[in-house]
Amino acid sequence: MPQKITLLRDKLKSFSLILSPMEAITNPPFRKICKNYGADVMITEFISSDALMREVEASKKKLFFDEDERPVGIQIFGNNEQSLIAATEIAAEHKPDFIDINWGCPVRKIAGKGCGSGILNDIPKMIRLTQAVVEHSPLPVTVKTRLGYDESDMPVVSVAEALQDVGIEAISIHGRTRSQMYKGQADWTLIGKTKANPRMHIPIFGNGDIDSAQKVVEYKNRYGVDGILIGRAAIGNPFIFLHSQEALEGKSPSLISVRERVDVCLQHLEGLRQWRGERYALVEMRKFYSGYFYGMSNFKPYRIKLVTAMSYEEIYQIMNEVRENFY
Ligand SMILES: Cc1cc2nc3c(=O)[nH]c(=O)nc-3n(C[C@H](O)[C@H](O)[C@H](O)COP(=O)(O)O)c2cc1C
């Protein structure tokens, strides 16, 4: 068993704001922006362990991160020991601060194959595979998971204990079951119970439906978690990390000017272009415009132009108009 290089806890603040991993969203350009606005911990989008074993280029590209993203975790998913161990070794070569195992993804093409939250049907296998990863990883291992497979059985409190016993160093819990997918409201009660379990000593991070700085403070205080992951509410809104850090310090939120929104948006576009090329950047940025300019009245015609623009020049032209016409 490899000697672990560091304890993850030593690299974490007493309370961490984490950018929740999101496929095709939390790539290096967007992570850099979120880091600049105060996110404490980064996790890559999930990477298929089978694809890493087969050396698929698109998957290998997801392993990269910038030094200034640290602490950063590489997230892998899979359903068999051989590929999870191989992926762990490949990911460890990139020297992230930790390896995160995704036991939470509910989508059919993943969970249907027993990966992600599909494993919540077979907890002994989940524990066995996690133990195998821990034993073969030179780096700390963490897990991101859900409350359980469906509402009839939500064993997350005992599962967290068992995962801790096989050596994981932190756990992130999304307050939904696999069968809930993204429906309904996240239930944080069992996240709070996991944290309150006197046997737990590793950091416990809560996740699900955090969409404002006020909610960060409220849920931190109510459930006592060691950190909170913010996902969808950060899409086009990296400012939520700044506002959350401010709220945690009892400060009022900084105003984000239209000029700043435009600048960050263009920084994001440019980052994506450098990362994956112009066409990719133009298309991927469409997911973000409504977030970056949320709450600006009469913005709709500009948004429509942005999501239909076919060239960089057009985007820059529209952004100039936004700068001039909004304050
Ligand atoms: C578009 C999208 C992609 C996601 N991809 C991942 C992923 O790669 N790995 C992961 O652990 N969770 C993934 N998630 C789940 C989020 O990390 C998070 O757990 C979930 O959205 C709940 O948090 P939220 O309410 O703050 O969004 C994804 C969610 C979305 C919406």
Side-chain angles (χ1 to χ4, degrees):
M1 181 160 136
Q3 183 75 31
K4 292 274 182 282
I5 295 170
T6 50
L7 283 176
L8 180 59
R9 191 185 272 284
D10 296 345
K11 298 186 173 185
L12 300 175
K13 289 166 48 177
S14 60
F15 179 80
S16 301
L17 281 176
I18 303 162
L19 174 62
S20 209
M22 288 178 285
E23 189 190 17
I25 304 275
T26 59
N27 41 36
F30 187 57
R31 296 203 301 265
K32 187 184 182 78
I33 290 170
C34 291
K35 189 80 187 185
N36 286 344
Y37 277 101
D40 297 307
V41 179
M42 299 289 148
I43 306 173
T44 66
E45 31 182 336
F46 68 178
I47 312 177
S48 156
S49 53
D50 285 341
L52 284 181
M53 249 184 37
R54 286 185 280 111
E55 302 197 5
V56 173
E57 276 311 312
S59 299
K60 280 162 62 184
K61 208 164 173 57
K62 294 180 184 167
L63 292 163
F64 289 88
F65 56 84
D66 269 358
E67 275 306 298
D68 52 18
E69 287 184 36
R70 290 187 185 282
V72 58
I74 291 180
Q75 189 186 68
I76 56 172
F77 72 90
N79 68 0
N80 77 77
E81 190 168 321
Q82 189 200 6
S83 65
L84 280 166
I85 290 172
T88 300
E89 285 165 357
I90 294 167
E93 284 167 16
H94 289 254
K95 300 192 169 42
D97 299 282
F98 59 100
I99 308 281
D100 188 58
I101 312 176
N102 180 315
W103 292 136
C105 179
V107 304
R108 191 193 297 263
K109 69 175 183 189
I110 306 289
K113 292 181 187 148
C115 305
S117 64
I119 200 87
L120 293 169
N121 253 337
D122 187 350
I123 303 295
K125 183 174 180 188
M126 176 192 196
I127 305 301
R128 204 171 59 244
L129 291 180
T130 305
Q131 179 165 21
V133 170
V134 170
E135 284 174 356
H136 286 83
S137 173
L139 298 169
V141 175
T142 61
V143 159
K144 181 167 178 284
T145 190
R146 291 187 170 224
L147 305 178
Y149 194 83
D150 59 31
E151 279 83 303
S152 69
D153 185 23
M154 297 195 285
V156 71
V157 177
S158 59
V159 166
E161 239 188 85
L163 291 169
Q164 176 180 266
D165 289 344
V166 297
I168 68 162
E169 295 199 27
I171 183 165
S172 305
I173 305 167
H174 178 183
R176 287 188 173 84
T177 61
R178 190 261 147 150
S179 55
Q180 270 180 297
M181 308 290 284
Y182 287 91
K183 293 191 293 279
Q185 279 192 334
D187 178 358
W188 278 60
T189 320
L190 290 173
I191 300 174
K193 275 199 180 147
T194 308
K195 178 62 196 170
N197 176 356
R199 275 215 62 230
M200 293 305 290
H201 54 78
I202 58 172
I204 306 215
F205 306 130
N207 173 229
D209 299 349
I210 301 295
D211 56 7
S212 69
Q214 292 67 29
K215 214 163 169 183
V216 167
V217 176
E218 190 189 323
Y219 277 46
K220 169 184 184 279
N221 293 339
R222 193 186 305 166
Y223 298 104
V225 287
D226 303 284
I228 283 180
L229 295 92
I230 304 178
R232 289 165 294 176
I235 300 175
N237 181 25
F239 320 112
I240 195 170
F241 292 106
L242 171 67
H243 292 150
S244 299
Q245 296 288 12
E246 288 171 336
L248 288 165
E249 290 171 25
K251 296 183 189 158
S252 20
S254 303
L255 213 67
I256 311 291
S257 66
V258 173
R259 181 165 288 271
E260 184 168 350
R261 288 169 193 276
V262 169
D263 288 347
V264 174
C265 201
L266 290 176
Q267 180 195 341
H268 194 171
L269 177 75
E270 189 54 37
L272 287 175
R273 187 182 69 79
Q274 282 172 17
W275 194 55
R276 292 283 293 268
E278 187 159 330
R279 172 95 196 117
Y280 180 88
L282 278 177
V283 173
E284 287 301 305
M285 275 307 288
R286 293 176 186 163
K287 298 173 186 165
F288 294 89
Y289 293 125
S290 37
Y292 278 123
F293 301 104
Y294 181 76
M296 282 166 50
S297 52
N298 304 325
F299 189 76
K300 195 170 172 196
Y302 295 90
R303 194 182 60 78
I304 291 171
K305 282 204 264 180
L306 284 167
V307 297
T308 49
M310 298 301 288
S311 74
Y312 249 57
E313 292 67 35
E314 268 180 85
I315 300 273
Y316 274 82
Q317 173 63 36
I318 302 161
M319 289 296 189
N320 279 337
E321 288 173 30
V322 173
R323 268 203 199 97
E324 281 163 19
N325 297 336
F326 292 87
Y327 303 99

